[in-house]
Amino acid sequence: MPELPEVETTRRGVAPRVVGRRVTAVRVYDRRLRWPVPADLAKRLKGRTIERVDRRSKYLLFRIDGGTLLVHLGMTGSLRAYSDAPTRRAHDHVDLVLDDGTTLRYHDPRRFGAMLWIAPADEPHPLLRDLGPEPLEAAFTDEHLWHVTRGRRAAIKLALMDNRLVVGVGNIYANEALFRAGIRPTIAAGKLSRARLARLAQAVRTVLGEAIAKGGSTLRDYVDSEGARGAFQLTHYVYARQGSPCRVCGTPIRQVRQGQRSSFYCPTCQR
DNA sequence: CCGGACGCCTGTCGGC
DNA sequence: TGCCGACAGGCGTCCG
């Protein structure tokens, strides 16, 4: 589900609801996420204040005095802040209750997400240690993308989705960025010229930026911290549009498999 | 090191 | 109507 724009939208929605608040109760309904929710999570959090909410890649990092609560939304996860939480429904797994009565609820049908505690002694955490640059920060330069793709025979789309090269770009936005850059997803990364990679880096920035502005993409499950769906899916050029006419030239969009995932491209606009 | 495939899990959809 | 396989916003892990 959530790629960088959806996680960032969640962060922006959640932060003002939780920062400065003290955790008064923790309810774990189901510990069976990607890794078990720590048995002592309540002990770590209760009585502590949430000081900040950061994002690194697709991880949400709740900075709390004494450590960090790491939350990943996996494919189908969502975090919602309720002033008046309804009774627990199917796939609601964890509640954090705050001192003003707000309930921060983690919901995830497929349970590919995670909720972990990072103590200061665990830093740098293995999940965060080897991540590449943030695509919307200065470290993600044309030069960087060129450098890390030299000698790579893997397809450019798979390279874009490799978190060691650049983070946050999942299946939707990899496809959309490649369309905007006019690059076929199947081309070997190492064969692309500096100029084409510069165009791709720019496409990644603009696609992610526009998606954040529209609250992300909602295909099925994703909702933001207030329960609202994203709108960016309405402007997808290729993702899930196989057989439909390209919005630019009218050629039917093609679908292929790469690395067990679907790729979509316009055979005319992308070479 | 690199590249590719496999699970993890539930829900949905299309074909028979 | 029911059953069955394929597929879905991710990613750590294992294999060659």
Side-chain angles (χ1 to χ4, degrees):
Chain A
M1 86 120 188
E3 300 182 39
L4 188 149
E6 293 76 30
V7 178
E8 178 61 19
T9 299
T10 297
R11 188 193 70 78
R12 292 181 186 186
V14 160
R17 301 289 298 268
V18 305
V19 169
R21 304 257 67 98
R22 206 157 34 81
V23 179
T24 56
V26 177
R27 297 191 284 255
V28 180
Y29 303 109
D30 194 338
R31 308 180 31 179
R32 300 172 303 157
L33 301 185
R34 170 142 203 192
W35 298 282
V37 176
D40 60 358
L41 189 66
K43 197 177 82 187
R44 303 284 183 205
L45 298 179
K46 264 178 79 171
R48 303 292 186 131
T49 300
I50 300 173
E51 293 164 347
R52 224 170 54 241
V53 186
D54 294 330
R55 179 188 57 73
R56 175 72 175 106
S57 185
K58 298 170 191 169
Y59 297 97
L60 288 168
L61 302 169
F62 292 78
R63 307 296 187 184
I64 289 160
D65 50 315
T68 297
L69 175 67
L70 174 151
V71 177
H72 194 285
L73 303 177
M75 290 274 268
T76 54
S78 54
L79 264 186
R80 282 186 68 174
Y82 293 94
S83 299
D84 202 359
T87 54
R88 181 210 176 199
R89 291 189 278 258
H91 312 304
D92 291 340
H93 305 310
V94 180
D95 281 345
L96 300 194
V97 184
L98 309 179
D99 58 2
D100 65 346
T102 297
T103 297
L104 187 65
R105 175 166 289 178
Y106 181 79
H107 173 93
D108 186 1
R110 287 174 75 180
R111 290 189 278 115
F112 284 179
M115 197 169 287
L116 298 173
W117 177 254
I118 304 177
D122 303 333
E123 311 246 22
H125 195 275
L127 289 174
L128 307 176
R129 199 178 46 210
D130 301 321
L131 295 172
E134 288 288 327
L136 297 178
E137 291 182 5
F140 180 59
T141 59
D142 303 351
E143 172 70 21
H144 169 78
L145 190 55
W146 182 80
H147 182 71
V148 297
T149 52
R150 289 314 86 192
R152 293 300 192 101
R153 282 172 303 164
I156 184 61
K157 189 203 172 216
L158 299 178
L160 262 190
M161 294 177 67
D162 183 338
N163 282 333
R164 292 166 305 184
L165 307 193
V166 59
V167 301
V169 185
N171 204 28
I172 294 177
Y173 300 108
N175 279 295
E176 294 298 311
L178 285 163
F179 175 83
R180 294 189 186 209
I183 296 170
R184 284 221 189 183
T186 49
I187 294 180
K191 288 204 154 182
L192 288 164
S193 68
R194 234 179 160 110
R196 300 193 81 196
L197 286 169
R199 203 172 157 205
L200 180 57
Q202 190 52 46
V204 167
R205 295 182 200 110
T206 57
V207 153
L208 295 177
E210 288 175 24
I212 291 170
K214 289 190 183 301
S217 300
T218 296
L219 306 182
R220 276 169 290 275
D221 306 279
Y222 173 73
V223 290
D224 69 16
S225 61
E226 308 299 317
R229 298 164 58 84
F232 190 72
Q233 70 279 5
L234 302 173
T235 67
H236 289 175
Y237 281 94
V238 289
Y239 185 82
R241 295 195 66 247
Q242 67 277 17
S244 298
C246 172
R247 297 193 200 279
V248 171
C249 75
T251 306
I253 299 300
R254 285 193 194 156
Q255 176 174 13
V256 295
R257 293 296 280 181
Q258 288 184 281
Q260 323 292 95
R261 316 292 295 274
S262 284
S263 296
F264 307 90
Y265 68 97
C266 170
T268 301
C269 296
Q270 294 172 263
R271 298 288 176 182

